[in-house]
Amino acid sequence: MAPAPFALQPGTRVYVAGHRGLAGSAVWRALGARPGLELVGRTSSQLDLRDRAGVAAFMQEVRPDVVVLAAARVGGIKANRDYPLDFLSDNLQIQVNVMDAAVAAGVQRLLFLGSSCVYPKFAPQPIREESLLTGLLEPTNDAYAIAKIAGLLQVQAVRRQHGLPWISAMPTNLYGPEDNFDPESSHVLASLIRRYDDAVRRGDRSVTNWGSGAPRREFLHVDDLAEACLHLLEAYDDPSPVNVGTGTDLSIAELAGLVASATGYEGETRWDETYPDGTPRKLLDVSRLTASGWSARTGLAEGLVETVSWYRQQKS
Ligand SMILES: NC(=O)c1ccc[n+]([C@@H]2O[C@H](COP(=O)([O-])OP(=O)(O)OC[C@H]3O[C@@H](n4cnc5c(N)ncnc54)[C@H](OP(=O)(O)O)[C@@H]3O)[C@@H](O)[C@H]2O)c1
């Protein structure tokens, strides 16, 4: 790995695409804690990143030094199953427009957020970065994954063709403040929080979750992701994407137990095995990230208590 070419110092102008989303808002908060950075953000209603001419004009006007590309169309299993075309098309357009405009505006440093779903369904566990493009994808979110893989390749192509030190990170499953709790499009952890919180408020004596509870997954607090992004912007310069996770996983049944405890739920948990489980295990190998000098800090039980409290405040 070459020496890092960049320092986030006072006066550095950083555009965070998707600065109100789960990941982007955490990156925005972490950047805001650094003195003197100039932060730029636009909501999707101010600037739709699918609008190629609008994105090009914006980038020429703002001319950021750094871009964090955390804008994407994102969703859980149900949304991916029902809207594969939107996941493919929107994400390809967002990525191509932002990265082409950033090349044209001479952006020196860009961090693209990929996703652990880009790895093959049967990749050896824990999943190393080298597993990319070595096997078939999980069919339930293949359209989204193909779009994300195109983004990773675009970053590598910019490095080869223009010599710019752009990088990609592959976060594992994220959770924390600003997560999406919509029952139609949320990810597993947010949907569990919502379900158990509803049960507590209604006084239900049982909660039924989808699947068997056996699949194993990894969860990273978004504030940890944000710290990792800042670290990578300053310390990582390699064409290979870098996994960002905790390096430990747990079963969905164990996760449900932690969510039940964080919400104060004391009833029974049942599992509806007519729903599919998806990939049996998904854990990222984080040795590349650790070797670069960063590891996650927030314990899952602690992060869940904080996220439940944020969710309840939002609801009230
Ligand atoms: N959530 C996870 O568990 C997870 C895990 C691994 C990787 N990631 C990656 O992290 C990135 C961000 O995910 P997230 O969970 O933070 O998503 P999110 O909470 O849904 O936020 C997505 C952001 O993208 C913006 N956006 C979407 N479509 C847009 C458009 N057409 N024009 C402009 N902005 C648009 C939204 O802007 P507005 O709010 O203004 O509408 C929003 O701020 C994605 O690349 C995702 O693959 C997420």
Side-chain angles (χ1 to χ4, degrees):
M1 195 170 78
F6 213 88
L8 292 164
Q9 57 201 4
T12 302
R13 183 174 298 169
V14 188
Y15 165 49
V16 182
H19 73 298
R20 288 196 316 183
L22 173 63
S25 63
V27 170
W28 184 267
R29 286 193 297 278
L31 288 166
R34 293 281 189 98
L37 296 180
E38 274 183 54
L39 301 190
V40 181
R42 294 287 185 275
T43 65
S44 56
S45 44
Q46 291 168 323
L47 176 65
D48 187 333
L49 295 172
R50 294 168 301 182
D51 169 6
R52 188 166 173 82
V55 175
F58 161 78
M59 205 71 83
Q60 287 298 328
E61 181 198 325
V62 171
R63 293 199 162 261
D65 303 300
V66 179
V67 171
V68 178
L69 183 36
R73 187 174 184 114
V74 176
I77 293 181
K78 184 173 187 312
N80 269 280
R81 187 195 61 198
D82 294 348
Y83 305 105
L85 176 59
D86 294 351
F87 279 87
L88 182 74
S89 177
D90 284 7
N91 286 316
L92 286 172
Q93 290 179 70
I94 289 170
Q95 293 160 195
V96 168
N97 291 346
V98 170
M99 289 199 241
D100 281 355
V103 167
V107 171
Q108 281 304 301
R109 196 79 169 128
L110 181 143
L111 170 63
F112 171 66
L113 289 187
S115 166
S116 55
C117 71
V118 300
Y119 289 120
K121 179 169 180 161
F122 299 112
Q125 303 285 326
I127 309 172
R128 296 174 61 84
E129 289 86 352
E130 290 76 13
S131 290
L132 190 65
L133 292 171
T134 57
L136 292 174
L137 298 166
E138 159 63 42
T140 47
N141 58 14
D142 55 0
Y144 178 74
I146 289 284
K148 286 282 163 187
I149 291 170
L152 300 173
L153 290 178
Q154 193 173 351
V155 165
Q156 292 173 342
V158 167
R159 290 180 68 98
R160 286 208 300 273
Q161 195 171 324
H162 294 282
L164 292 168
W166 290 12
I167 54 173
S168 300
M170 313 277 245
T172 188
N173 302 300
L174 304 173
Y175 73 98
E178 306 297 341
D179 206 345
N180 167 16
F181 291 90
D182 180 318
E184 291 297 308
S185 57
S186 56
H187 290 115
V188 60
L189 194 152
S191 69
L192 287 174
I193 289 180
R194 184 187 172 108
R195 199 170 297 150
Y196 280 92
D197 180 65
D198 283 351
V200 169
R201 280 186 301 100
R202 289 193 300 247
D204 294 350
R205 298 167 67 121
S206 80
V207 162
T208 302
N209 296 323
W210 293 0
S212 69
R216 299 185 69 81
R217 295 287 184 272
E218 176 187 14
F219 297 91
L220 178 73
H221 193 283
V222 268
D223 288 341
D224 281 355
L225 170 77
E227 289 303 331
C229 289
L230 270 55
H231 162 78
L232 292 171
L233 279 170
E234 294 189 310
Y236 188 78
D237 180 18
D238 195 280
S240 167
V242 58
N243 289 339
V244 182
T246 62
T248 50
D249 61 356
L250 77 174
S251 71
I252 297 298
E254 288 167 323
L255 175 69
L258 288 178
V259 172
S261 145
T263 52
Y265 174 75
E266 290 175 344
E268 184 194 353
T269 292
R270 295 180 185 157
W271 297 92
D272 182 348
E273 299 195 22
T274 58
Y275 285 92
D277 269 347
T279 310
R281 188 177 188 210
K282 226 162 82 176
L283 174 65
L284 294 181
D285 180 310
V286 289
S287 34
R288 187 181 280 263
L289 178 65
T290 313
S292 80
W294 189 90
S295 322
R297 284 189 300 198
T298 311
L300 184 54
E302 172 200 345
L304 282 175
V305 168
E306 182 216 285
T307 307
V308 167
S309 151
W310 181 88
Y311 172 65
R312 286 179 170 161
Q313 270 169 20
Q314 296 302 305
K315 280 192 72 169
S316 65

